[in-house]
Amino acid sequence: MKNNIEEYLKKIDEIILSHLGGNHISGTIAEASRYSIKSGGKRFRPYLLFAALDAFSIPLDKGLKTASAIEMIHTYSLIHDDLPAMDDDDLRRGNPTNHKVFGEAAAILAGDNLLTESFHLIVNDEKLSGGTRLELVRIIADSAGQNGMIGGQMLDIEAENEEITFEELETIHKYKTGRLISAPVHAAVTIAEADAETASHLLRFSEYLGIIFQIRDDILDVTGDVKVTGKNTGSDARKDKVTYVSAFGLEGAKERMEQKVSLAEAELDAVKRTIDITELKNVLNKFAIRDN
Amino acid sequence: MKNNIEEYLKKIDEIILSHLGGNHISGTIAEASRYSIKSGGKRFRPYLLFAALDAFSIPLDKGLKTASAIEMIHTYSLIHDDLPAMDDDDLRRGNPTNHKVFGEAAAILAGDNLLTESFHLIVNDEKLSGGTRLELVRIIADSAGQNGMIGGQMLDIEAENEEITFEELETIHKYKTGRLISAPVHAAVTIAEADAETASHLLRFSEYLGIIFQIRDDILDVTGDVKVTGKNTGSDARKDKVTYVSAFGLEGAKERMEQKVSLAEAELDAVKRTIDITELKNVLNKFAIRDN
C-alpha cells in the first residue's frame, strides 16, 4: 500500500493549506502559517500515523485530519524554535526561517495559529465519532504540552549553558521530540480501537523510533549535506550542544541507532500475527537507517 | 448569587494553578506559566461565563474548567502580546511582564503551554458530556484562532505603522478582543443548551460588551492610574495607536460607551422573561461603566 500512503501525504498538504487559506481575517497570518507548511519537510509524523492505520486495515481517510493536526503542531514548534529568542536559526528545510521572511511578531502569531487551528481541525473531523475526536484532542494536547514537547523544549533551552549528563540528554529528547513522534501511533491505535496489548507494543515501537530519529538527526548534523538536511551542517556542534555524536563519537552513535532499530523491530515482530506490520517496517527502513 | 460567583472565581485560580503545577517536567515552564496567572487580572471572562450560566440556573461547577481554559488563553495572549517583538511592554497588571522575569524563550513557551493546556483542561472536564466538551473546544479554538483573536492581533500589529480608519479599528477590536469576550457567553449558552433565540440575544449582548470593554480600556489608557490599570498611563497614545479617545476625544468616547451600554441592556431585556438577567446586568455595571 506504499503508493497509497504517498497519495495521502499529498492530501495532508491540501487539507492544511486549505484550512489556513480559507476566509481569513489577516492575509499575513494565512501567508505566514502556510509558508512553513509549504516549505516542505518529510511529513514523518503523518507517514507514521498512516503506516499504523494501515497495519489495522483502517481506511487512511480516518487519519487525514489528525495527521494534519499533528503536522501543524510540529510545524508551529519549528517556527517558535527558530526564533531569535530560542535557537536563532536563519535556515530551515533549506529555506529562510519564518521570522526571517515575515518578521518575529508574525512568526510568533503564525505558530500560535497553527497550534490553535490544529485542535479546530480535529474537532471538526466528521469521519470520526465524537468520543474518538475527544480522545485525540486529549492525546495531542498531552503530547504537545507541559508534560510533552513544551516541557522538553524548556529543558533543552535550560541545558544550553549547562553541562548535562547523557541521561539528562535522553530525558530532553524523550519529551522534546519523542512525545510528538509517539502521538501519531497513539492516535492511530485510538482510531483503530486496538486491543491494549497490541497498542502497548506499538507505543513502545514509537518510543524507540523517537530515539532513532534523534540519533539520526545528530549524525546528520555532522555528516549531512545542507541540501538534504535543510539546515547548516554542524549547527548543533557550534552551539556546544550535547548530542549522541559528541557523547559517543560517530561510530558509537551509529551503533546505538542499530541497537534501537533491533528493539523497535522486536516490538513489531511481537504483534505481526495480529496486524500487518509491513508499512511500519518501511517507516523504520525509510527514516531510521540512513548511511551517510 | 453574586457572592457565589466570587467564590467560583477563586476556584478558577485553584484549578489553573493546580493543573500547571502538577507533575511537571520543567519547573521553569510551571513557574513561568503560573506567574502570569498569579499576577492577577479581573477574571472578566470567567465572571461573564458564570453570570451567563447563572441566568439559566445552571450549577456553576459546570463552567469551572471552561472558564479556566478561557482565562488561560487570555493570559497566554497577554504574555505573547507583551514580548519585545510585539508590544514590548515591561509592565502588566502592575507587575513585570513574563519575559522580564523569565526571559523571552520561557515566556514564548509559557504562552504556548497555557494555550495547549487549556484544551487539555476542557477535554478532561467530567462534569460535561463528551458532545458538549467537543463543542466547547470548537468554540474556543474558533474564537482564539485565525478567524478570531490571532487574526485580530495580526491586524493590530500591521496597523501600527499605518493610518487606519475608524472602521478598520473596529474590525481589529472585534477580532482581537471581541471574540474572546463572546467566547464565555457562547460557552455558557452551549453548556445551558439555550434555545436559539435566547442564545442569539446573549451573543449580541456579548458583542456589545466587547466593544464597551475596548472603549473603557482606551479611556483608562488616558485617564487611568497605573495602580488601577496595571500598565503605564498613555502607553497606547505613545505608540500612536488609533483609539476611541484619539478618534472621538474623551467625551466622545464616553458617549459611545453609553450608547453601547444601552444596546447591550436592550439585548438582555429582550430575554428577561425567560432567564434571570440580574448577574449579566451586574457584569455590565461592574466592568463597563466606570467614571474615572
Side-chain angles (χ1 to χ4, degrees), chain A residues 156-169:
Chain A
D156 191 31
I157 287 168
E158 292 181 302
E160 258 175 49
N161 303 312
E162 305 281 330
E163 293 232 346
I164 60 163
T165 64
F166 182 70
E167 285 66 34
E168 288 168 323
L169 174 70

Side-chain angles (χ1 to χ4, degrees), chain B residues 10 17 21 25 98 100 125 156-157 179 196 198 209 279:
Chain B
K10 285 188 199 124
L17 293 176
I25 293 163
N98 200 291
K100 282 280 155 190
D125 186 352
D156 191 31
I157 287 168
R179 292 292 313 277
T198 308
L209 201 57
E279 283 297 344

Side-chain angles (χ1 to χ4, degrees), chain A residues 23 28 112 124 138 147 158, chain B residues 23 28 80 124 138 158:
Chain A
N23 286 326
T28 307
D112 294 346
N124 288 325
R138 182 183 289 120
N147 295 320
E158 292 181 302
Chain B
N23 285 324
T28 307
H80 281 191
N124 288 326
R138 181 183 291 119
E158 291 181 303

Side-chain angles (χ1 to χ4, degrees), chain A residues 76 140-155 175-176 179, chain B residues 15-31 33-34 72 109-110 112-118 120-121:
Chain A
Y76 116 74
I140 289 170
D142 193 45
S143 309
Q146 58 192 4
N147 295 320
M149 185 178 75
I150 290 171
Q153 172 67 1
M154 191 71 236
L155 290 182
Y175 294 106
K176 184 184 175 185
R179 291 294 311 279
Chain B
I15 287 173
I16 300 176
L17 293 176
S18 138
H19 182 80
L20 296 172
N23 285 324
H24 44 63
I25 293 163
S26 157
T28 307
I29 274 295
E31 215 190 320
S33 304
R34 287 158 61 98
M72 285 163 80
L109 290 172
D112 294 345
N113 188 45
L114 286 162
L115 173 57
T116 309
E117 293 299 331
S118 71
H120 211 187
L121 211 54

Side-chain angles (χ1 to χ4, degrees), chain A residues 116, chain B residues 43-46 48-49 66-78 115 118-119 136-137 139-145 147-150 172-187 206-207 209-210 213:
Chain A
T116 310
Chain B
R43 307 290 185 247
F44 173 57
R45 292 154 194 80
L48 185 53
L49 194 150
T66 307
S68 301
I70 293 173
E71 188 66 18
M72 285 163 80
I73 289 180
H74 172 59
T75 304
Y76 116 73
S77 79
L78 300 182
L115 173 57
S118 71
F119 292 110
L136 291 170
V137 173
I139 290 165
I140 290 171
D142 193 44
S143 310
N147 295 321
M149 185 178 75
I150 290 172
I172 291 170
H173 291 325
K174 178 179 169 187
Y175 293 106
K176 185 185 173 183
T177 55
R179 292 292 313 277
L180 207 66
I181 287 175
S182 289
V185 174
H186 200 166
S206 75
E207 285 163 18
L209 201 57
F213 201 71

